[in-house]
Amino acid sequence: MSFPWAQQYVPTSPFMRWMDEKLPLPRLIHGAVGPGFPVPRNLSYFWNFGVLAGVCLVIQILTGVILAMHFAPNAAIAFDSTEHIMRDVNWGWLLRYAHANGASAFFVVVYIHIFRGLFYGSYKAPREMIWLLGVVIYLLMMATGFMGYVLPWGQMSFWGAKVITGLFSAIPIVGTPLQQWLLGGFAPDNAALNRFFSLHFLLPFVIAGVVILHIWALHIPGSSNPTGVAVKQESDTVPFHPYYTAKDGFGLGIFLLVYCAFVFFMPNALGHPDNYIPANPLSTPAHIVPEWYYWPFYAILRAFTSDLVIPFTHIVLVPAKLLGVMAMFSAILLMFFLPWLDTSPVRSGHYRPLFKKFFFFGLIPCVLVLGYCGGAPAAEPFVMISQVAAIYYFAHFLIILPLVSSFERPDPLPFSITEAVLGHDGRARLAPMAAAATTPDAAGIAPAHPA
Amino acid sequence: MTRILGILVGLFFCFALSVSLFKGVYAAATDPAAPTAESVFHKHPRELSLASDGAFGRFDKRQLQRGFQVYKEVCSACHSLRLVAFRDLKALGYNDDEVKAIAKGFQVPGLDPATGEVNTRPGLATDYFPKPFANDIAARAANNNAVPPDLSLMTKAREDGQSYVYSLLTGFQPQPAALLKQFPDAKTPPNLHYNPYFPNLNLAMAPPLTAEGQVGYKDGTKATVDQMAQDVAAFLVWTAEPKLDKRKQTGWPVLGFLLFATVLAYLSKKQIWAGKHDAGEASAM
Ligand code: HEM
């Protein structure tokens, strides 16, 4: 895409002209993250997190590839080879801690990125494809993170793999054969470890591919912004470089400070002590918990404690375990339908009084509570609390959001980004109503805009 | 269409969850979970602070040497330290000759060079600490049917590792009368030992540190049970993470550099954006 006022790429030296004819890579960069990409001038720091996610992916691939040179994907020695990295490989401890905490940092960043999208309605037209690709990335990240956690072959690796692949056994008829096929055996062992390693090496590159599509899709409508009002004119935008390269540079500095504080000073704070015990199929840990970034979904899984039976009989319609598995996957997959569940034409939550309340007082606490309960032992009161929170989770996305978007009366929107930033926009006074009627992006204007 | 389906799916999950919730509340009201001996008498570890704690902490090498001595003279009878090689002990301040002498004091598995028969030989600096038992069956047979776990990673493999090891070693005591009164069935079985810091309160390890002076410290420190427990816990922090000092020493310059770079990045961001946030610049456009 480009707005008509986007700066054109002009090669300045004979070499760059030559290059531009043979392989216009500099032209691509100029238009993608350079002066040729006009971006709304009012982006908040929440818009830093896409770039930060990209940095995390690079950190994970770099550290991961080197770790793989020293790691041995064999059930007999995987645990010891990890300790060999920690003790004997030059800077091995740094690589491993950078990679383990890098995974956590990646999820922190992506969760903020997703919730930014949820609040500012970034998933709505014309950005549905960016969002859909984002959900694909998120699913791939979950799979990659899970398989990575299995590799050091500690107690939580083993039992986590057993519990998570065990979810497939809940599927009627094909479940158990499917689980055995996935594991290459009756329980996690060498076959599972080897294929998990292979896939864990592969998937980040698949993610990188989908990220390229994600950013390509982003460049068609361009970024949204905190008002959700579409770009109308040149004064609404600034060129990506130098404005957002500078802002992203500062954000990156803050991110790296926090990340390195974890890597160097509390590298095990987010891990589980049991994973420093070698895998032992004969000794079940007291509490099997996955990594923190799966906790909300793990809580949903465990919230289904009773079968659905036909009333007054003992005929089980849906067993509790299958319900839990269906709900856990639905909780993630429903993200794919968000652009069509929330039909309010107003994007930004700032101008949606009802939506805003449900978002801050419903969804955010609900996800935090689910996260807390998912990491806690599967005992009361945590199960009951997760049941209440899970009810809200499904109600929020599948019932409240569609209904609110029909009944809510949005607040008036600013005429343009320029007006939102500067407090006035010369063109706004000319003919706001005419503009509202003719703008190609009527969705950016609240239908309730006072006449 | 999507919305109608969505609402139906939402109602289905909310209904199924409400059934679970209702049954859970009913069960909790009619049949509340009874307390167990573990839930009432298990104690959180007593805090042990060490020189290596905190972002500025460094290992106290003299304490590590004392802790090593406790391991060598007491714990190594039952516990292996399989991830640590004798050469690693140089980090505790021993010189090459001392390390060789320590290694020689341990018998490690070997082969007779003439016959190829399995035998033992004195350790070399490159060898790892040997296992006290030939295999788990032998270990169980000698320890009330429990395998003494390897100690290399012990302080990272338990919640509050160093405090836990310290508390466990100093926490052996007779079973409280109150416990037996409340839970008459929870009497410590013969050959197990009551310890409120152990998750299920009874463990197969007999109190290993029992008498003052059990280990003769060469640096003049008084070898009380509490002191020996602290020292061996400190030593196990080192075995679990020998690169701890290096990690923190590296961390500070890294954070310093990043802070500097971030301040520069902030200043240039400010400079570049000057005027973009307010009306001042609009007239220029
Ligand atoms: C490897 C992971 C990811 C990378 C590298 C990445 C990268 C980016 C980048 C660079 C941007 C533009 C800057 C910004 O708006 O922050 C962006 C925008 C966006 N991303 Fe992602 N992203 C990732 C994952 C996700 C996920 C998991 C989702 C949602 C499920 C998502 C949804 C979006 C949306 C909706 C936008 C447009 C936001 C707007 O313009 O308002 N992304 N992404």
Side-chain angles (χ1 to χ4, degrees), chain A residues 41-54:
Chain A
R41 62 190 292 177
N42 61 336
L43 298 188
S44 68
Y45 278 102
F46 281 113
W47 268 257
N48 279 49
F49 287 86
V51 164
L52 292 181

Side-chain angles (χ1 to χ4, degrees), chain A residues 47 50-51 53-54 106 113 116 122 130 134-135 137 211 214 218 223-224:
Chain A
W47 268 257
V51 164
F106 201 169
H113 190 66
R116 184 280 315 262
S122 299
I130 314 173
V135 181
I137 295 173
V211 167
H214 182 71
L218 171 76
S223 285
S224 184

Side-chain angles (χ1 to χ4, degrees), chain A residues 41 80 87 93 97 235 243-244 253 264 267 273 276 304-306 330 340-341 343 384 387 391 398 402 406 422, chain B residues 3 6-7 10 13 17 20-21 24 28 82 156-157 239-241 243 247 251 262 272-273 276 278 281-282 285:
Chain A
R41 62 190 292 177
D80 287 6
R87 288 158 195 266
W93 55 271
Y97 280 151
S235 67
Y243 289 96
Y244 285 105
F264 287 100
Y276 282 108
F304 290 81
T305 46
S306 51
S330 307
W340 298 278
L341 288 170
T343 50
M384 283 183 208
Q387 283 159 346
I391 289 177
L398 296 173
S406 310
L422 305 179
Chain B
R3 297 206 293 167
I7 290 176
F13 282 131
L17 280 164
S20 292
L21 177 62
R82 63 188 188 91
K156 275 159 85 176
T239 61
E241 183 112 12
K243 300 291 169 64
R247 191 179 87 212
T262 306
I272 287 168
W273 278 84
K276 274 287 168 195
D278 51 48
E281 173 265 357
M285 281 200 319

Side-chain angles (χ1 to χ4, degrees), chain A residues 244-298:
Chain A
Y244 285 105
T245 38
K247 193 167 174 178
D248 282 335
F250 172 52
L252 178 63
I254 301 283
F255 166 77
L256 288 178
L257 274 169
V258 176
Y259 168 60
C260 287
F262 271 90
V263 170
F264 287 100
F265 296 105
M266 37 190 162
N268 293 307
L270 299 169
H272 196 292
D274 277 15
N275 230 24
Y276 282 108
I277 305 172
N280 181 352
L282 299 179
S283 142
T284 318
H287 307 296
I288 302 175
V289 284
E291 291 270 80
W292 68 266
Y293 28 86
Y294 305 111
W295 286 353
F297 302 104
Y298 197 55

